[in-house]
Amino acid sequence: MTVAHRLPACPSCHGRLWEQVATSPFGRAAAEDLAEHAAWTEADHAGAARFVQGAFFALLIGPLLWLVPAAAAFGLYELFR
């Protein structure tokens, strides 16, 4: 099986973990640690959503900040020419 981003649910228990925490060589995570990780992941998603909204807003408003003065300057140039 090849997975690029995230493992699917365990076929035997349909859970998120594929091995027993008590016998895992990668650490001894307690249930509190898993809950803390889930809370951190939710906070990370919220931060990423705010970043994407800010970037979209900047890409929308940024060109207007340059186009409005340029149009005004061009209009004044044409008026006084």
Side-chain angles (χ1 to χ4, degrees), residues 51-75:
F51 173 76
V52 169
Q53 288 173 346
F56 179 74
F57 183 74
L59 289 173
L60 183 68
I61 297 299
L64 291 177
L65 292 175
W66 289 99
L67 288 175
V68 169
F74 182 72

Side-chain angles (χ1 to χ4, degrees), residues 4 23-24 29 55 57 62 73:
T23 59
S24 174
F57 183 74

Side-chain angles (χ1 to χ4, degrees), residues 3-28:
V3 177
H5 297 284
R6 187 166 152 203
L7 287 173
C10 176
S12 62
C13 69
H14 303 291
R16 198 178 88 201
L17 299 175
W18 274 62
E19 53 185 302
Q20 297 295 324
V21 175
T23 59
S24 174
F26 300 107
R28 308 267 187 254

